[in-house]
Every structure is written in structure tokens, then in C-alpha cells.
């Protein structure tokens, strides 16, 4: 009886010790730690929300940067075209100025020739008048004496013929000088007409030059305005990016703090469990008349998600360009995210190209505009899988058969499209 009583007392004391060790002190400690962890996790959730907002702002700012950059690129192209047209117009004006100068020299020479021809004509006319006047002043008697003085009929005939030839010579010579003067006069008129045409062309070209200069001034002002907007948008994007980094740093610290707190909880729970097992072992030893085996349980779980092959796994599928094209196509259907570079969570057009090439160890520009000058330019007819197709404000990867894979729009995401769905500005070969 006494032995039984001693056994019950021992059991009672052991249970009391177990209750005191396992209940109030340990439970309060673990509960306090879990509350502290919950507080940290709440702070992390709040930091995640702030990060999401900053990411949305950054994506919006990056999209704005791309949009403004596209405008800048377009207006820069227009300025180059206007510059070229203006240079051509100025050159044309200068050429016409030279032609007008040459025409004026020709007109001056023609006028001198005309005056010389008129003078020769006048001289011939005056000489002919003198001869005619001399003959008429001598009268018929002189002519008769001239004929009668002839030694014979043949000489007399020769003198008559000579007089007629003299008249005929004077007449023809005068006609020739008159024709020469008329030809020079017509040439002068022709040169005057040509000069007038050149002056009209010069006037039109000068008006065109003035118009181009005005347009160029307007375009340059618009370009400067876009440059200012672009700088502001880039600054905003940089601020949002810095804020995202700040939130990431804060989240990492909170995650580390939560992990540390979880370690404390695990250690506290382990200490509790060890104390509980120690007390149970002590109780078991006190219960000589009873026995029991501890039980155990186990469980397992599994899950699945979409997986993607790594870039290195494509090393045996054709040339490097074909490997790049095949690798890029496995991300079809994933979202378009402005400013993004993730092949799974979302990327914009240049971010998609940048990341695909980065996974193969290549560094390419991050913007669609800069990609226009990357690698080596080839014609569309020479395009091969893996080449970068460049459009106005957009890029994609050529996969062959006249098709590209690209991050298209926020509505359609990453998809395959005909390469000629809009004008191709250039084809760039990276590998």
C-alpha cells in the first residue's frame, strides 16, 4: 500500500513538473516570438505592396521613355531628311547663280558682238553710199567716156561687167552683215530668255530654301522639347528604380529578420519538445506498472509548374542563330511588360531580345533604337534565324520562314508574327 502511495505521489510530482515546464513559460515565449514574426511579415507585405506600386510607376515611366525615344528617333530622321533637302536646295541655288553669271557674261559678249556687227554693217553701208554717190555725181558722160576709152569691145564689156559686179558685191556684202546682225540679235534674245528662266528657278528655290529652314527650325525646337521630356522621363524612371532597389533592400532585411525569428521559434519549439520528451521519459520511468510505445506519422506533398529548358540545352539544335530562335519560341504566350526583361514574368520588345541573347552570353543594347546599330547589318533576303528585325520603335527575333517571335503588346504578349507585318528598318546579325 505504501509502495503504491509513493508511486502515485511520484507520478503526481512528475505531472506537475511536466505541466509547469511545458505550459506557461514555453507557450508564452513561442507565442511572443510568433507575434514578432507576424509583425515582421506584415511589414514585409507592406514593403511588397510599395514595391509593386514603384514597379508599376517604373514600368509606366520606362514605357514613356520608349515612347518619347521613338518620337525623338522619328523627328531626328525627319531633321536629317530636311537637312539633306536643304543642302541640295542651297547647292542648286548656287549652281543657278553660277549659270546666271555665265548667261550674263554671254549676253555681254553677244551685245558687244552685236554692236560690232552693227558698226561693220554701217561702215559697209556708208562705203556703198559713197561709191554710188560718186558714180551718180560723175553722170552719164563719165560712164560714156569710161566706155569710149576702152581699146576694144572686149575691154568695154569687161568694164561694164566690172561695174555690175561692184554693185552686186556691195549688195551681197550688205545683206551678209544684216544677216549677221540679225543672228546676233536673236542669240541675245535667246540668252535673255534663258536668264529669265534661271532667275525664276532661283526665286522658287530660294522660297523652298526659306520654307525648309523654317520647318527645320520648328523640328529642332520639337526635338529639343522631346529631349527635355526624355530627360525628365529618364529621371523619373531612375527615381522609381532607386525606390525599387530601396524596397528590395528593405524586403531582404525583413526576410532575413523573419528567417532569424523563425529560427528562434524553431529553437524554442525544439527546446519545448526536448523538455516535454524529457519529462515524458521521467514519467515513463516512474510508471513501472505501465508501458507504451511512441507513435510517428509522416506525410508528403508535391506540386508542379511550367518549366523551361535552359539556353545551354539547345547547344545541339543547329547553328547558334537557330538555337537562339528555338530557345526564344518556348516563351510564347508569356506576358508583355513595359520595361521588363523577364522571359517568364514579362518583358517588352527590346527587353525580350536583350534577355534571350544574354542567356546565350551575348551583350546587346537594351533599347530598340540602339539595336538598329548592333552587330552587322544584312538585307532581309539574307536574314537567318536568330537575326534581330528592327522596326520603328520595335524589335523582334527572326525564326525563319518569314516569321519573327517578339514581345508584341500588353494584350497579345510574346507571340509569332510575319516579319513583314510593317516596314523593316534594318536586319542585324549578332552571332
Amino acid at each position: 500500500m505504501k509502495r503504491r502511495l509513493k508511486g502515485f505521489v511520484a507520478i503526481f510530482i512528475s505531472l506537475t513538473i511536466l505541466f509547469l515546464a511545458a505550459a506557461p513559460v514555453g507557450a508564452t515565449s513561442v507565442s511572443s516570438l510568433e507575434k514578432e514574426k507576424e509583425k515582421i511579415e506584415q511589414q514585409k507585405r507592406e514593403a511588397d505592396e510599395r514595391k509593386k506600386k514603384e514597379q508599376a510607376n517604373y514600368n509606366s515611366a520606362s514605357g514613356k521613355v520608349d515612347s518619347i525615344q521613338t518620337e525623338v528617333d522619328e523627328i531626328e530622321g525627319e531633321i536629317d531628311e530636311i537637312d539633306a533637302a536643304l543642302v541640295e536646295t542651297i547647292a542648286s541655288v548656287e549652281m543657278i547663280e553660277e549659270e546666271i553669271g555665265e548667261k550674263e557674261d554671254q549676253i555681254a559678249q553677244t551685245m558687244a558682238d552685236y554692236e560690232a556687227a552693227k558698226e561693220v554693217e554701217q561702215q559697209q553701208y556708208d562705203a556703198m553710199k559713197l561709191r554710188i554717190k560718186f558714180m551718180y555725181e560723175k553722170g552719164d558722160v563719165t560712164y560714156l567716156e569710161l566706155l569710149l576709152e576702152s581699146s576694144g569691145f572686149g575691154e568695154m564689156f569687161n568694164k561694164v561687167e566690172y561695174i555690175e559686179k561692184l554693185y552686186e558685191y556691195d549688195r551681197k556684202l550688205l545683206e551678209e552683215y544684216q544677216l549677221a546682225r540679225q543672228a546676233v540679235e536673236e542669240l541675245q534674245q535667246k540668252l535673255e530668255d534663258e536668264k529669265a528662266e534661271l532667275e525664276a528657278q532661283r526665286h522658287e528655290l530660294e522660297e523652298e530654301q526659306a520654307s525648309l529652314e523654317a520647318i527645320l527650325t520648328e523640328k529642332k525646337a520639337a526635338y529639343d522639347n522631346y529631349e527635355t521630356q526624355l530627360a525628365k522621363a529618364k529621371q523619373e524612371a531612375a527615381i522609381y528604380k532607386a525606390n525599387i532597389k530601396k524596397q528590395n533592400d528593405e524586403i531582404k532585411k525583413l526576410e532575413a529578420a523573419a528567417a532569424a525569428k523563425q529560427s528562434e521559434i524553431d529553437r524554442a519549439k525544439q527546446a519545448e519538445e526536448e523538455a516535454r520528451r524529457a519529462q515524458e521519459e521521467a514519467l515513463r520511468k516512474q510508471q513501472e506498472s505501465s508501458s507504451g510505445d511512441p507513435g510517428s506519422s509522416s506525410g508528403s506533398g508535391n506540386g508542379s509548374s511550367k518549366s523551361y529548358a535552359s539556353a545551354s540545352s539547345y547547344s545541339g539544335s543547329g547553328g547558334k542563330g537557330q538555337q537562339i530562335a528555338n530557345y526564344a519560341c518556348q516563351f510564347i504566350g508569356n506576358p508583355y511588360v513595359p520595361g521588363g526583361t523577364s522571359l517568364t514574368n514579362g518583358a517588352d520588345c527590346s527587353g525580350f531580345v536583350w534577355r534571350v541573347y544574354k542567356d546565350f552570353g551575348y551583350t546587346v543594347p537594351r533599347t530598340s533604337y540602339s539595336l538598329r546599330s548592333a552587330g552587322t547589318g544584312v538585307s532581309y533576303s539574307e536574314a537567318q534565324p536568330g537575326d534581330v528585325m528592327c522596326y520603328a520603335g520595335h524589335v523582334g527575333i527572326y525564326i525563319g520562314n518569314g516569321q519573327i517571335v517578339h514581345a508584341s503588346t500588353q494584350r497579345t504578349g510574346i507571340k509569332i508574327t510575319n516579319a513583314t507585318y510593317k516596314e523593316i528598318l534594318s536586319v542585324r546579325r549578332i552571332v
Side-chain angles (χ1 to χ4, degrees), residues 79-95 209 212-213 216:
I79 287 174
D80 289 341
E81 291 177 2
I82 294 169
D83 268 331
L86 186 57
V87 169
E88 184 178 350
T89 301
I90 291 172
S92 298
V93 170
E94 291 176 354
M95 289 176 63
Q209 178 182 343
L212 287 171
E213 287 174 347
L216 184 61

Side-chain angles (χ1 to χ4, degrees), residues 297-403:
S297 63
S298 65
S300 64
N302 54 55
S304 63
S305 62
K306 184 177 179 181
S307 61
Y308 299 93
S310 65
S312 60
S313 67
Y314 284 84
S315 60
S317 57
K320 185 66 71 175
Q322 187 65 60
Q323 295 170 24
I324 290 171
N326 294 344
Y327 175 70
C329 286
Q330 68 175 327
F331 302 103
I332 293 170
N334 287 345
Y336 176 104
V337 175
T341 58
S342 172
L343 300 176
T344 55
N345 297 328
D348 58 18
C349 65
S350 57
F352 175 71
V353 173
W354 177 83
R355 185 51 188 263
V356 167
Y357 273 93
K358 182 177 184 296
D359 288 353
F360 279 85
Y362 294 94
T363 300
V364 298
R366 175 62 184 82
T367 65
S368 58
Y369 174 75
S370 298
L371 278 166
R372 294 186 199 172
S373 57
T376 304
V378 298
S379 65
Y380 174 63
S381 61
E382 299 172 325
Q384 297 177 1
D387 290 345
V388 178
M389 291 288 177
C390 299
Y391 308 87
H394 192 68
V395 289
I397 298 175
Y398 187 65
I399 61 173
N401 298 322
Q403 294 181 316

Side-chain angles (χ1 to χ4, degrees), residues 102-266:
E102 291 174 0
K103 289 296 178 186
E104 288 175 344
D105 292 341
Q106 292 175 9
I107 289 170
Q109 182 59 47
T110 304
M111 290 182 67
D113 293 343
Y114 175 71
E115 293 298 330
K118 281 178 63 179
E119 185 177 350
V120 172
E121 177 191 356
Q122 187 63 43
Q123 290 173 357
Q124 180 61 25
Y125 178 68
D126 293 340
M128 185 182 69
K129 284 199 300 181
L130 286 173
R131 281 193 292 273
I132 293 172
K133 181 180 179 184
F134 175 77
M135 290 179 183
Y136 274 97
E137 284 177 350
K138 294 297 182 180
D140 295 335
V141 176
T142 303
Y143 286 115
L144 182 59
E145 289 175 353
L146 183 62
L147 295 175
L148 290 176
E149 288 175 358
S150 301
S151 59
F153 182 77
E155 185 181 352
M156 181 180 67
F157 180 78
N158 287 337
K159 289 181 178 180
V160 171
E161 186 177 3
Y162 169 76
I163 293 169
E164 290 179 353
K165 285 183 178 180
L166 185 61
Y167 275 113
E168 182 65 20
Y169 170 78
D170 285 337
R171 184 182 64 79
K172 286 183 178 180
L173 195 59
L174 183 61
E175 287 178 355
E176 288 175 2
Y177 284 123
Q178 287 175 341
L179 289 173
R181 179 180 58 79
Q182 184 179 355
V184 172
E185 189 176 2
E186 289 174 354
L187 177 59
Q188 180 183 354
Q189 183 61 46
K190 179 184 176 184
L191 291 172
E192 292 285 355
D193 292 341
E194 291 175 355
K195 178 186 174 183
E197 289 180 4
L198 289 172
E199 287 176 341
Q201 291 178 24
R202 178 179 63 183
H203 176 70
E204 291 175 0
L205 286 170
E206 287 174 346
E207 286 188 343
E208 182 178 346
Q209 178 182 343
S211 175
L212 287 171
E213 287 174 347
I215 294 172
L216 184 61
T217 300
E218 180 182 344
K219 292 294 181 183
K220 285 183 176 178
Y223 179 84
D224 292 340
N225 183 44
Y226 278 125
E227 281 287 291
T228 302
Q229 293 181 33
L230 183 61
K232 184 178 179 182
K234 286 182 176 179
Q235 185 180 13
E236 290 178 357
I239 292 172
Y240 292 135
K241 188 174 182 180
N243 289 341
I244 291 171
K245 184 179 182 302
K246 182 179 178 181
Q247 295 302 322
N248 282 334
D249 293 342
E250 183 180 351
I251 289 169
K252 286 180 182 178
K253 289 178 181 179
L254 290 170
E255 285 175 346
K261 193 61 66 177
Q262 184 62 48
S263 296
E264 290 183 36
I265 293 171
D266 292 341

